[in-house]
Amino acid sequence: MACILDNNHNAEEDDSSIDWQLPISFVKKRHIEKIEGANAITQTWRMKERMKTVSVALVLCLNVGVDPPDIIKTQPCARLECWIDPLSVSPQKALETIGANLQKQYERWQPRARYKQSLDPTVEEVKKLCTSLRRNAKEERVLFHYNGHGVPKPTSNGEVWVFNRTYTQYIPLSVYDLQTWMGAPSIYVYDCSNAGIIVDSFKQFADQHEKEYEQVAAQSRGSVNSPPTFKNCIQLAACAATQILPMNPDLPADIFTSCLTTPIKIALRWFVMQSTSKLVPKISMDLIDKIPGQLNDRRTMLGELNWIFTAITDTIAWNTLPRDLFQKLFRQDLLVASLFRNFLLAERIMRSYDCTPVSSPKLPPTYQHPMWQAWDLALDLCLAQLPAILESEDQFIHSPFFEEQLTAFQVWLALGSEQRNPPEQLPIVLQVLLSQVHRLRALELLGKFLDLGPWAVNLALSVGIFPYVLKLLQSSARELRPLLVFIWAKILAVDSTCQADLVRDNGHKYFLSILQDPSMPGEDRTLATFVLASIVNNYPQGQEVALQGSLVSICLEQLGDQNPLLRQWLAICLGRLWTNYDKARWCGVRDIAHEKLYNLLSDPVPEVRAAAVYALGTFISSVTERSEHANNIDHSIAMTLINTVSHDMSPLIRKELVVALQWMVLLFENSFLSVALQEEGRTSQALADVSMSPIMGMRRIASRDRLKILSPGSLFNPDGGIIPVTVANAEAFQSNSDRIKRVSSSSSISSLGHGQLSNLPNLSYGSIYMKLWHGLTTLDVDPHPSIRHMSHIITNHIRDQVKDSSVPKEVNDTKITSSLSLPPSPSGRPTFLAGESPPSTISATELHRLAASRSSHLTCRTRKTLPNTISEEENDINSGRKPLVTTQFVDWSCKYFAQPVMKFLQDNDVESSLHYEREWRYQRNSALRCEARDEQRKIATGKLESQVFSARCPNPPSVIQFHPYETYVAVAGKDAFSIWDWLSGCKLSYCPNHGSKASRITSLQFVNSHDVSLLLVGSDDGTVRLWNNYTLAQHGLEPGLVTAWQALADVQPVSRSLNAGAGSVMSWEQRAQNVIVTGDVRIIRIWDAESELKVQDIPTGADCCVTSISTDVSESSLIVAGCGDGSVRLFDRRLPPQEARIMTWREHSAWIVDVNLRSNPQGSGKAITGCVAGDVKFFDLRRNSSLATCETSQGMTAMAVHKAADTFACGSVNQYISVYNMEGSPLNTIKYHEGFMGPRIGPVSCLAFHPYRVSLAAGSMDSSISVYSIDPKR
């Protein structure tokens, strides 16, 4: 006794951690998610059209030396034009130099454009210039730069001013005319006072143009070209409609042009002019011009400033503009992007002088954006070092700007999510990719950002990341490989159209080299495989380059890799590579790819098996040229698939199997029609003497009257001959036509001319098509409804044609549903022997017509076996052939890469609600076990007779089971189960098991009972179904089918005469995640829930059914089984299956009702068994005979042994339940329902103890169920 107490004490210590150590089963994504691809987000990041500004008109109206009359200039006044003082040289020279300088300033942004200057022009010169540039530019963009500092301000009528030939007058030039000459698309820059008024007029004139175009089009009835869309023209104006340009002598006169074309120079000047720059001593205007370096060399001081300026203006634009406007202005045209970046600076500088630059399209104000402070800081740090650098030629210290911005990005990533504003620094990360110094860190952060989900990938693509990461694939730096392959996987998971860009730039080679490199980790090779699988997906050019890069052999070499995700994607990649691509398929044949993929069909990871089935399916479907060799390979693949995975535990794989097998049906349609016809014909009596044994499980699909496949013109004799019949007498003989016998002699075939399916091959029994058809008809009754549905679509595709053909018609309107010949098959023979003529009753033209109607009905390719009668055209097998069924397994697999990969799994997040819920459940479980231990001690002296629950079921209960921790009891009767709350007495749900009509439930088990539990339901037809949400019926939720499979599919059942009828007997082991299934079979089969594979079959050695099995947690390798013949057998599954039976006790004389295996505290195992005759025996597992026997009542129908308490109960056909202790002494008997004059209980049909509490559930034949407890309070 002390030993037991000590044991209990230890148990209590360990109790709290027990549940945390138990695995949770059936919670992988394949169980809890719908198998479908991600919803594609419409891609908006790609430019619909890239544009170039190819021509630039520089129109300068300066008239140096003569000020316009409408502006009174201050003295001193701003003079510099293009950084030149016009008064320092002669007027003409000044004008030319300014023109040349302006051109140079623009060339820095767009060196390849065609520049034309027009200095102090007339209207005619402007017209000539604009029309010639538009003519040369065709559909591209033209820039018109107008400097009007030497002419009056633009007018409210929408006119700018130019000169007459002699410069004695200012001549107005209407913007309306300018629009006409410039056409569209165009960009206008107006550097003059009052410039905003032009922008206003421009819109009115644009509307006017469009109306006029419409009128002309209406008159000439639509023969006019479409009008240029002036509204899409871009305009940049120096100031608003009533403003005058600043005249500060420290600024250039063309300050707007300077901002647009020499931003760094003007920004530095303006910065030095501000009062804040006094903080940087010793800096003068002259010093600024001496900043060392080139603008386009990022390693120099000036270059770095320019780089920072680009990053900041890009960032401000991206954060303030609507996405589509940002794309149009900052990503479509290099020159436009530069001008608009610089326009943001112009707005900042000119607003400080009370000028508001105007643009069309209008931009939101950006001059107060906080990023400008970062720009001021960068200038500050740069200028602070300048004197020392110029004096002593010190090395300049690079700006910390980019590092700091990356840190800010990193901080955002630590806290960022889709709900927050996007990170401001994204465009800067883009710029940093250009620098080798920070590139690694930038890529790492970018990868983390893309990992947040598809929304992040779309954001990054809209910023313009794509060309940068594409260019980086040319880098040979090894340290970038893992980062780049991760980033590319993320991009392709969201936008698969990037495959074309990769192929165009030879990017696929980068990923092929990663995949080939054995030193790369498996995760990186998986990502590379995914990228390559995306490149070859439905993209012929991609398939071609991948095949040239020997992708087939690279993938095949690594199929045995340790990483399951890599194995899965190698198979998917191969499957996609040879989809509709014959060359890759034959390359695979040469490498015996199909045989190498066979190894994956027994892979421990279900997704890998599904991927292998997918790859073999596309292997079959990709052949365009049918040949004997191709057919043989396809037959071997199909048979291997049927034999290995048709009874796989995972529905994922069986669905892929159906999809793969449909190609056999579509490719060899005639052979399957022939099999289906024979199947239908099997209802006929005359088939009895044909050497064809019926196939198990093949279902008849039609009645005998459908079998009239002979035309009224000829009829079978029972003895095999053929009687010609006139059509008039046909009705009289119709009844005989049911008695059809297969005929193989060529003479009889030739007279079968009118038979609609008479030209099908005669397949011998056991042919490959027979086996495949049998496999498909088995899938027709799969326990999983979606697989049943898919399989039915395929088998009905054939059966419907057989049915259609069974209705006799006149030859003229016959729809022949079989081709006149067949693809070669091992057993198919040509219908007409060589040299014979086809039936003479049909003319050649009729044959043509029949062939045509046949080919319209089915798209199956035919061989030339009819000499000189039909000119058959060979159809390409796959052209236009659509699959009958498809799955989204591959798209679902792709979704993995679009979702966050780096994020902690919620299971490991101790702050998540999931974790808190689990913690609560495990504490509740521990408390219940502790409470139950008190009850277990009491039963030694107490009685188990308080009825705490009673209810009636729709059917007599056959199985009853307690949930260990909830107050549920599950009850099954016939083919439905219900869940009751025995504490509150209410029924929680009633659910049909959706098995076949005749099946009944014989076993119930709770899976994951310590956590969110599932209900495992076994039926007597060998099917097992797993349900979730089984208690939520009152919330209006249907129970969901997690998985379903045929657990005993390919096993020969024991014959009924030998005590069969136990149905399926099942045991669930949570710790090992095993389902042990047996029943009316001669084996005990163990399935592993983790890999969803059959682990082993242990032969029972008995010729009768197994009626009950038991395993014990502490004795995890032992199984005790009770059999229908009264024998009790002990198995040790550590031994080879044939030697696993280590003990057989034959002390019982009749059917074993229950067996129970339990371990003693001393460490020796013990078994308790009871049989129908009423004797209960106690065995020590180490001895050959029982230790003790307890005689209970005759006619025992049910028995239950408590897992922990020393008690067992027996139920009798004589309407009572006896409760005993382990010494065999009776504790109490239950005969009546509770209450005054309570009725007698019915004959007991099932009993079950609660796993922990001392509570007993009983079901009886009168459809009532009860729960009895030791504690009346419960």
Side-chain angles (χ1 to χ4, degrees):
M1 189 65 193
C3 187
I4 292 172
L5 287 173
D6 187 44
N7 188 49
N8 277 345
H9 177 67
N10 289 344
E12 282 170 42
E13 276 181 20
D14 303 342
D15 205 85
S16 56
S17 61
I18 286 176
D19 290 339
W20 289 107
Q21 293 158 6
L22 278 179
I24 302 176
S25 307
F26 299 106
V27 287
K28 298 278 192 302
K29 283 190 172 178
R30 63 178 180 270
H31 300 122
I32 56 179
E33 282 186 0
K34 207 171 172 192
I35 306 295
E36 58 186 12
N39 294 331
I41 303 171
T42 316
Q43 301 306 332
T44 53
W45 65 274
R46 274 187 198 274
M47 289 279 81
K48 291 184 181 62
E49 50 196 17
R50 284 213 166 277
M51 292 195 85
K52 260 206 272 215
T53 303
V54 292
S55 305
V56 179
L58 304 175
V59 178
L60 302 178
C61 299
L62 292 176
N63 197 8
V64 178
V66 182
D67 286 342
D70 61 346
I71 290 179
I72 296 150
K73 293 200 172 172
T74 58
Q75 288 301 331
C77 181
R79 294 220 167 276
L80 299 182
E81 301 276 356
C82 295
W83 304 103
I84 287 166
D85 184 350
L87 303 182
S88 59
V89 287
S90 68
Q92 189 53 35
K93 181 87 168 91
L95 188 61
E96 287 167 7
T97 316
I98 291 167
N101 260 20
L102 182 59
Q103 183 169 332
K104 279 198 197 104
Q105 285 170 202
Y106 266 112
E107 280 173 341
R108 142 115 181 72
W109 304 104
Q110 178 64 297
R112 295 201 182 135
R114 172 190 181 137
Y115 290 90
K116 285 281 181 72
Q117 298 171 27
S118 187
L119 310 176
D120 291 352
T122 63
V123 174
E124 278 308 310
E125 284 166 353
V126 174
K127 179 179 181 180
K128 192 173 162 192
L129 170 70
C130 293
T131 47
S132 80
L133 288 180
R134 169 49 62 203
R135 196 167 47 247
N136 290 319
K138 297 190 174 69
E139 299 297 310
E140 296 287 8
R141 194 174 266 138
V142 179
L143 186 144
F144 181 86
H145 179 101
Y146 174 74
N147 178 329
H149 295 175
V151 291
K153 292 184 288 195
T155 68
S156 53
N157 296 336
E159 294 158 332
V160 293
W161 298 92
V162 289
F163 302 98
N164 64 355
R165 287 194 184 286
T166 55
Y167 300 102
T168 55
Q169 281 179 313
Y170 299 115
I171 307 289
L173 163 61
S174 172
V175 173
Y176 178 84
D177 295 332
L178 190 59
Q179 281 181 345
T180 313
W181 306 330
M182 283 287 291
S186 305
I187 175 168
Y188 299 84
V189 178
Y190 314 120
D191 188 348
C192 56
S193 296
N194 206 11
I197 207 161
I198 313 175
V199 179
D200 300 337
S201 312
F202 192 96
K203 185 179 180 307
Q204 293 163 12
F205 290 140
D207 292 341
Q208 193 180 330
H209 268 295
E210 283 181 22
K211 278 182 193 148
E212 286 169 10
Y213 259 90
E214 282 166 20
Q215 286 166 4
V216 175
Q219 286 162 11
S220 57
R221 298 213 179 130
S223 59
V224 179
N225 297 337
S226 60
T229 46
F230 295 115
K231 283 181 182 161
N232 291 349
C233 288
I234 295 166
Q235 301 170 81
L236 298 172
C239 57
T242 55
Q243 295 172 341
I244 292 175
L245 294 179
M247 297 186 195
N248 186 334
D250 296 332
L251 298 171
D254 63 347
I255 180 167
F256 187 59
T257 302
S258 303
C259 288
L260 292 185
T261 56
T262 55
I264 305 301
K265 192 168 185 176
I266 188 80
L268 282 162
R269 274 175 179 275
W270 184 71
F271 180 73
V272 171
M273 286 163 66
Q274 305 307 300
S275 55
T276 49
S277 70
K278 304 283 187 292
L279 298 171
V280 187
K282 300 190 210 164
I283 297 292
S284 65
M285 290 285 194
D286 304 337
L287 220 52
I288 294 171
D289 294 334
K290 294 179 184 165
I291 291 181
Q294 275 78 45
L295 281 167
N296 52 7
D297 185 354
R298 288 193 297 271
R299 290 165 302 183
T300 63
M301 195 179 220
L302 194 60
E304 186 175 68
L305 274 179
N306 186 49
W307 184 29
I308 293 172
F309 177 78
T310 305
I312 283 176
T313 45
D314 226 25
T315 304
I316 292 173
W318 189 71
N319 283 300
T320 50
L321 268 61
R323 293 277 175 267
D324 52 345
L325 190 59
F326 175 80
Q327 291 285 339
K328 181 182 169 186
L329 301 181
F330 285 80
R331 291 291 180 265
Q332 197 180 46
D333 180 328
L334 285 174
L335 180 59
V336 172
S338 306
L339 290 176
F340 266 95
R341 271 200 295 270
N342 303 344
F343 178 78
L344 301 183
L345 175 73
E347 188 193 10
R348 186 182 192 215
I349 291 178
M350 294 184 73
R351 271 183 182 266
S352 68
Y353 298 107
D354 296 326
C355 259
T356 313
V358 178
S359 72
S360 169
K362 193 173 182 216
L363 303 187
T366 57
Y367 63 102
Q368 287 178 320
H369 196 281
M371 283 305 284
W372 284 120
Q373 292 165 353
W375 170 240
D376 291 343
L377 177 63
L379 288 180
D380 221 320
L381 293 172
C382 165
L383 293 175
Q385 331 174 27
L386 187 58
I389 288 171
L390 294 175
E391 280 166 30
S392 53
E393 296 190 356
D394 286 2
Q395 189 63 38
F396 100 97
I397 300 159
H398 284 284
S399 166
F401 171 79
F402 286 109
E403 277 174 71
E404 287 164 358
Q405 294 298 325
L406 283 179
T407 304
F409 186 50
Q410 198 168 347
V411 170
W412 188 95
L413 282 173
L415 307 163
S417 71
E418 192 172 359
Q419 283 70 44
R420 287 185 57 201
N421 286 337
E424 287 187 353
Q425 300 77 17
L426 206 53
I428 297 172
V429 177
L430 202 68
Q431 291 292 328
V432 180
L433 293 179
L434 299 168
S435 144
Q436 266 181 313
V437 187
H438 307 300
R439 185 176 290 157
L440 198 65
R441 185 181 173 206
L443 281 173
E444 201 173 308
L445 294 175
L446 180 62
K448 283 183 180 164
F449 177 66
L450 297 181
D451 194 43
L452 293 175
W455 63 272
V457 176
N458 279 311
L459 266 184
L461 289 171
S462 75
V463 170
I465 203 133
F466 189 74
Y468 291 77
V469 286
L470 190 60
K471 191 101 168 72
L472 280 175
L473 293 180
Q474 294 164 15
S475 155
S476 54
R478 279 189 72 83
E479 67 275 11
L480 298 184
R481 284 172 143 200
L483 299 169
L484 279 173
V485 74
F486 183 82
I487 286 168
W488 271 102
K490 287 282 163 195
I491 291 174
L492 282 162
V494 173
D495 185 359
S496 55
T497 59
C498 300
Q499 55 185 187
D501 306 82
L502 277 174
V503 171
R504 192 183 58 239
D505 285 26
N506 280 331
H508 63 282
K509 292 181 177 167
Y510 189 82
F511 301 102
L512 279 167
S513 68
I514 291 176
L515 183 54
Q516 269 175 297
D517 184 352
S519 65
M520 291 296 283
E523 291 76 22
D524 295 339
R525 281 179 291 138
T526 305
L527 292 165
T529 313
F530 169 69
V531 171
L532 289 162
S534 304
I535 289 174
V536 298
N537 185 25
N538 289 331
Y539 185 54
Q541 290 94 315
Q543 290 173 305
E544 208 169 305
V545 294
L547 186 61
Q548 286 161 7
S550 54
L551 181 60
V552 174
S553 55
I554 295 170
C555 287
L556 289 173
E557 272 165 28
Q558 302 193 38
L559 283 180
D561 193 272
Q562 296 296 304
N563 186 322
L565 198 59
L566 176 56
R567 296 197 298 274
Q568 178 186 341
W569 274 98
L570 288 167
I572 291 175
C573 186
L574 285 169
R576 280 181 164 183
L577 174 60
W578 53 51
T579 300
N580 299 333
Y581 188 41
D582 214 9
K583 261 191 188 166
R585 196 245 198 208
W586 285 111
C587 179
V589 170
R590 284 191 290 279
D591 269 349
I592 54 165
H594 52 293
E595 291 183 18
K596 291 176 181 170
L597 282 166
Y598 290 167
N599 298 333
L600 295 187
L601 294 178
S602 52
D603 194 276
V605 178
E607 285 86 350
V608 178
R609 302 202 293 279
V613 178
Y614 163 77
L616 289 166
T618 57
F619 198 76
I620 295 173
S621 71
S622 61
V623 185
T624 46
E625 285 302 314
R626 291 248 64 98
S627 64
E628 195 73 41
H629 185 199
N631 291 348
N632 289 341
I633 290 171
D634 287 351
H635 291 158
S636 114
I637 292 172
M639 284 315 294
T640 307
L641 286 174
I642 280 280
N643 294 336
T644 49
V645 295
S646 60
H647 297 303
D648 196 290
M649 182 172 164
S650 170
L652 200 64
I653 292 137
R654 303 201 301 278
K655 281 182 193 170
E656 290 308 308
L657 172 69
V658 176
V659 173
L661 290 180
Q662 73 175 324
W663 294 110
M664 291 302 289
V665 173
L666 292 170
L667 294 171
F668 302 101
E669 201 151 333
N670 303 320
S671 306
F672 284 100
L673 281 165
S674 178
V675 173
L677 201 66
Q678 288 180 24
E679 177 198 65
E680 187 161 342
R682 210 163 293 128
T683 52
S684 164
Q685 288 302 302
L687 278 170
D689 58 339
V690 177
S691 61
M692 241 171 63
S693 60
I695 299 177
M696 285 274 296
M698 189 173 277
R699 293 171 49 225
R700 300 188 319 205
I701 61 155
S703 55
R704 289 166 58 160
D705 59 334
R706 287 255 176 83
L707 282 169
K708 297 152 187 167
I709 54 164
L710 293 177
S711 72
S714 62
L715 202 61
F716 283 104
N717 238 348
D719 64 1
I722 287 183
I723 318 165
V725 182
T726 59
V727 178
N729 297 349
E731 257 57 48
F733 290 90
Q734 199 68 65
S735 59
N736 287 351
S737 67
D738 281 356
R739 296 162 61 198
I740 300 170
K741 201 171 180 186
R742 278 194 334 157
V743 181
S744 55
S745 75
S746 57
S747 63
S748 52
I749 287 179
S750 65
S751 54
L752 266 173
H754 296 318
Q756 293 175 324
L757 285 176
S758 58
N759 294 321
L760 287 170
N762 289 316
L763 300 177
S764 61
Y765 170 68
S767 81
I768 187 157
Y769 301 110
M770 208 60 113
K771 288 174 182 158
L772 290 175
W773 183 252
H774 175 216
L776 276 166
T777 51
T778 308
L779 286 163
D780 277 354
V781 291
D782 192 276
H784 202 284
S786 54
I787 297 168
R788 270 205 306 274
H789 175 68
M790 287 167 69
S791 180
H792 271 300
I793 291 174
I794 295 165
T795 50
N796 289 344
H797 173 72
I798 295 294
R799 285 175 177 149
D800 291 347
Q801 293 176 51
V802 172
K803 283 179 193 170
D804 292 348
S805 69
S806 304
V807 184
K809 292 182 181 178
E810 290 301 317
V811 172
N812 295 352
D813 59 9
T814 299
K815 230 191 188 181
I816 286 200
T817 43
S818 140
S819 85
L820 294 162
S821 53
L822 276 170
S825 73
S827 55
R829 296 188 291 277
T831 323
F832 308 113
L833 299 187
E836 275 192 358
S837 62
S840 51
T841 47
I842 303 178
S843 67
T845 53
E846 277 177 319
L847 270 174
H848 271 294
R849 194 171 66 248
L850 288 172
S853 73
R854 160 75 184 132
S855 62
S856 69
H857 196 64
L858 282 181
T859 52
C860 205
R861 186 172 166 281
T862 53
R863 276 173 70 224
K864 295 184 182 178
T865 47
L866 304 183
N868 315 325
T869 52
I870 301 177
S871 58
E872 298 183 45
E873 290 174 14
E874 301 212 343
N875 316 339
D876 184 347
I877 284 284
N878 285 5
S879 62
R881 161 154 291 152
K882 287 201 168 57
L884 300 170
V885 289
T886 55
T887 68
Q888 293 198 37
F889 164 69
V890 176
D891 298 334
W892 172 77
S893 303
C894 292
K895 209 160 62 170
Y896 169 83
F897 296 99
Q899 291 162 344
V901 175
M902 298 181 194
K903 215 169 95 179
F904 276 115
L905 289 168
Q906 259 215 315
D907 288 2
N908 307 336
D909 180 1
V910 292
E911 296 294 314
S912 71
S913 58
L914 202 74
H915 185 275
Y916 286 135
E917 285 169 21
R918 183 162 288 158
E919 196 169 37
W920 176 85
R921 275 194 292 271
Y922 292 178
Q923 284 169 354
R924 174 204 63 184
N925 299 353
S926 179
L928 185 143
R929 288 192 291 265
C930 184
E931 198 182 309
R933 273 193 282 273
D934 292 341
E935 289 187 16
Q936 291 162 20
R937 292 189 194 106
K938 281 184 201 165
I939 189 64
T941 54
K943 291 188 173 186
L944 183 65
E945 58 186 2
S946 303
Q947 183 173 324
V948 289
F949 165 74
S950 178
R952 289 192 87 78
C953 293
N955 297 310
S958 53
V959 196
I960 196 161
Q961 195 77 31
F962 273 106
H963 188 289
Y965 303 110
E966 306 278 0
T967 54
Y968 304 156
V969 61
V971 185
K974 292 195 176 166
D975 187 41
F977 60 86
S978 49
I979 309 288
W980 297 78
D981 185 328
W982 55 270
L983 197 59
S984 68
C986 66
K987 181 163 148 185
L988 299 178
S989 68
Y990 175 81
C991 174
N993 191 36
H994 301 298
S996 61
K997 286 193 180 73
S999 70
R1000 61 191 174 91
I1001 297 174
T1002 54
S1003 178
L1004 292 173
Q1005 297 278 319
F1006 285 101
V1007 176
N1008 302 338
S1009 57
H1010 61 303
D1011 203 89
V1012 180
S1013 50
L1014 307 167
L1015 186 64
L1016 196 64
V1017 180
S1019 302
D1020 63 351
D1021 57 2
T1023 60
V1024 178
R1025 290 175 177 80
L1026 182 69
W1027 298 92
N1028 63 12
N1029 298 340
Y1030 53 83
T1031 58
L1032 300 175
Q1034 71 264 47
H1035 300 301
L1037 284 175
E1038 285 290 307
L1041 188 64
V1042 179
T1043 184
W1045 78 101
Q1046 234 326 335
L1048 299 168
D1050 44 357
V1051 192
Q1052 195 64 36
V1054 294
S1055 61
R1056 282 275 167 195
S1057 57
L1058 289 166
N1059 289 346
S1064 74
V1065 178
M1066 194 167 66
S1067 170
W1068 165 253
E1069 295 181 319
Q1070 187 71 44
R1071 193 172 295 282
Q1073 300 193 71
N1074 284 344
V1075 184
I1076 302 172
V1077 190
T1078 177
D1080 296 334
V1081 287
R1082 293 186 181 85
I1083 56 159
I1084 296 172
R1085 176 166 286 180
I1086 302 170
W1087 293 91
D1088 176 41
E1090 182 65 15
S1091 63
E1092 302 194 35
L1093 279 176
K1094 182 174 75 181
V1095 183
Q1096 62 183 142
D1097 281 350
I1098 302 173
T1100 58
D1103 261 348
C1104 57
C1105 62
V1106 176
T1107 60
S1108 62
I1109 52 172
S1110 173
T1111 57
D1112 190 85
V1113 178
S1114 55
E1115 299 281 351
S1116 57
S1117 50
L1118 296 182
I1119 303 172
V1120 65
C1123 299
D1125 61 357
S1127 60
V1128 176
R1129 295 157 192 259
L1130 181 67
F1131 301 90
D1132 186 338
R1133 58 183 121 154
R1134 292 168 296 190
L1135 295 169
Q1138 297 303 325
E1139 300 163 23
R1141 179 159 53 106
I1142 49 174
M1143 189 80 77
T1144 306
W1145 294 290
R1146 299 185 185 275
E1147 297 189 16
H1148 289 289
S1149 58
W1151 179 285
I1152 303 289
V1153 176
D1154 189 43
V1155 294
N1156 187 273
L1157 179 66
R1158 54 194 291 162
S1159 54
N1160 278 356
Q1162 293 83 6
S1164 66
K1166 172 173 158 184
I1168 301 139
T1169 64
C1171 79
V1172 175
D1175 46 336
V1176 174
K1177 291 186 182 287
F1178 300 86
F1179 294 95
D1180 183 317
L1181 301 186
R1182 299 165 298 181
R1183 303 198 178 186
N1184 291 335
S1185 58
S1186 59
L1187 301 174
T1189 303
C1190 161
E1191 289 295 338
T1192 68
S1193 73
Q1194 273 288 330
M1196 185 203 291
T1197 51
M1199 174 178 164
V1201 183
H1202 199 286
K1203 258 172 54 174
D1206 288 342
T1207 180
F1208 67 90
C1210 303
S1212 166
V1213 71
N1214 301 325
Q1215 300 176 280
Y1216 64 87
I1217 301 166
S1218 317
V1219 184
Y1220 298 84
N1221 64 15
M1222 281 303 169
E1223 278 70 52
S1225 314
L1227 296 177
N1228 65 286
T1229 305
I1230 301 165
K1231 292 187 178 180
Y1232 296 96
H1233 287 293
E1234 209 152 76
F1236 179 67
M1237 300 277 293
R1240 183 83 188 244
I1241 63 172
V1244 181
S1245 60
C1246 51
L1247 285 176
F1249 270 108
H1250 191 285
Y1252 300 107
R1253 293 187 185 286
V1254 182
S1255 297
L1256 177 70
S1260 54
M1261 296 309 290
D1262 60 3
S1263 299
S1264 66
I1265 50 170
S1266 320
V1267 173
Y1268 301 94
S1269 172
I1270 188 172
D1271 185 350
K1273 290 197 297 292
R1274 297 239 153 260

